[in-house]
């Protein structure tokens, strides 16, 4: 049985993270006397940092660039983590860290909030770990086709194979190419990523609604382009919120799908902590 009461979010950079205020609001609502902080940890120092944790620790939230190394070092992994080879949550046990990917469920729930609970096709901008979670999320939302747009199209090759596994036909195109129209674009580039304004404008013209995984560098270059094109653009706060809900379920009950008592009040408190009234 877990007895630790210390938790934190790790990553690099980490100063922008809103996870501490969100998690602490949830713990207060649930009556849990847990702490939750943040720590800058890069991928080279990750294994040593995890090994140094003692029995006071219950779990970790893990952001970039730690999702791949966390997957590699987890004692066990859930199905979502195995699909994506990415772990963003550790539940710390005597048998080692149990690894989970809550990003997928977070994206699905966030898309539903903006009216895209069902999608037939979509575009993903970027080809990294978050793009992998986005592809699986789109598959769960019913997508049959997904276009991956990347600076280096070769980097998207694993996404083609993943799409075949989950029943989504994936095509790949260069970022500066020409693209057909889609009702939804999921952007997974870092918030400070430079995108040529002309390229961003072309993506916006054919991209439908923009859901950008970024929340700490808002508006992004892509969001600005969507605004100029008169298209709706949404930051990643919804994804942050809903993946955190699933993390808290794991920390409390060991299961990302185990709905908690008073969860509706918990989610309201978390939302207020990050976006206000």
């Amino acid at each position: 049985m877990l007895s630790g009461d210390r938790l934190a979010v790790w990553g690099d950079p980490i100063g922008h993270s809103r996870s501490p205020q969100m998690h602490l609001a949830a713990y207060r609502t649930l009556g849990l006397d847990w702490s939750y902080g943040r720590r800058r940890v890069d991928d080279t120092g990750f294994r040593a940092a995890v090994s140094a944790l003692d029995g006071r620790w219950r779990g970790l939230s893990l952001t970039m660039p730690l999702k791949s190394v966390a997957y590699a070092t987890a004692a066990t992994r859930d199905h979502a983590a195995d699909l994506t080879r990415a772990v963003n949550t550790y539940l710390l046990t005597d048998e080692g860290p149990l690894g989970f990917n809550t990003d997928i469920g977070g994206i699905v729930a966030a898309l539903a909030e903006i009216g895209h609970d069902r999608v037939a096709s979509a575009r993903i901008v970027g080809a990294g770990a978050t793009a992998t979670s986005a592809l699986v999320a789109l598959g769960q939302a019913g997508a049959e086709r997904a276009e991956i747009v990347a600076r280096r199209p070769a980097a998207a090759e694993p996404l083609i194979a993943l799409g075949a596994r989950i029943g989504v036909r994936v095509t790949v195109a260069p970022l500066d190419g020409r693209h057909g129209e889609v009702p939804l674009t999921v952007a997974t580039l870092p918030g400070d990523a430079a995108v040529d304004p002309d390229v961003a404008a072309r993506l916006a013209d054919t991209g439908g609604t923009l859901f950008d995984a970024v929340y700490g560098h808002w508006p992004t270059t892509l969001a600005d382009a969507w605004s100029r094109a008169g298209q709706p653009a949404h930051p990643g706060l919804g994804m942050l919120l809903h993946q955190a809900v699933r993390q808290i379920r794991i920390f409390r009950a060991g299961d990302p799908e185990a709905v908690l008592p008073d969860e509706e009040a918990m989610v309201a408190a978390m939302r207020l902590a990050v976006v206000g009234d």
Side-chain angles (χ1 to χ4, degrees), residues 15-267:
H16 69 284
S17 176
R18 300 189 190 180
S19 291
Q21 57 262 50
M22 189 167 52
H23 275 257
L24 291 171
Y27 303 162
R28 286 193 298 269
T29 303
L30 296 174
L32 298 170
D33 188 21
W34 292 352
S35 67
Y36 188 101
R38 61 163 65 92
R39 179 178 171 185
R40 184 178 178 182
V41 179
D42 63 17
D43 50 355
T44 60
F46 177 73
R47 289 177 174 84
V50 172
S51 297
L53 299 178
D54 58 27
R56 296 173 297 171
W57 285 86
R58 175 175 289 263
L60 298 170
S61 306
L62 304 164
T63 187
M64 297 303 293
L66 302 178
K67 295 179 184 182
S68 294
V69 67
Y71 175 85
T73 54
T76 66
R77 308 159 183 104
D78 71 347
H79 179 61
D82 277 331
L83 274 177
T84 58
R85 301 186 67 83
V87 160
N88 77 327
T89 309
Y90 264 2
L91 185 65
L92 302 171
T93 73
D94 292 339
E95 291 72 39
L98 312 185
F100 301 82
N101 181 333
T102 68
D103 284 337
I104 295 170
I107 294 170
V108 171
L111 290 177
E113 282 193 339
I114 63 171
H116 287 274
D117 53 323
R118 300 298 296 173
V119 294
S121 64
R123 176 181 301 145
I124 298 173
V125 182
T130 304
T132 304
S133 293
L135 178 60
V136 177
L138 289 170
Q140 291 185 4
E144 298 177 350
R145 303 177 304 282
E147 179 189 51
I148 311 298
V149 176
R151 285 191 175 88
R152 294 185 302 107
E157 291 297 323
L159 293 169
I160 298 175
L162 175 59
R165 290 175 63 193
I166 63 174
V168 179
R169 184 169 63 86
V170 173
T171 58
V172 180
L175 187 64
D176 58 357
R178 298 285 177 178
H179 312 285
E181 291 193 11
V182 291
L184 174 69
T185 296
V186 180
T188 66
L189 299 175
D192 57 355
V195 180
D196 182 272
D198 291 337
V199 170
R202 287 200 298 273
L203 290 170
D205 285 341
T206 59
T209 298
L210 173 68
F211 177 78
D212 200 319
V214 167
Y215 67 90
H217 297 81
W218 192 262
T220 61
T221 302
L222 291 178
D224 280 336
W226 255 255
S227 178
R228 286 192 294 272
Q231 299 271 51
H234 302 271
L237 283 172
M239 171 186 170
L240 178 72
L241 170 67
H242 289 291
Q243 64 82 26
V245 169
R246 286 152 179 78
Q247 288 184 335
I248 294 163
R249 292 173 180 172
I250 291 165
F251 297 151
R252 187 71 179 89
D255 182 352
E257 302 306 321
V259 177
L260 299 172
D262 298 323
E263 186 166 288
E264 185 175 344
M266 180 190 81
V267 172

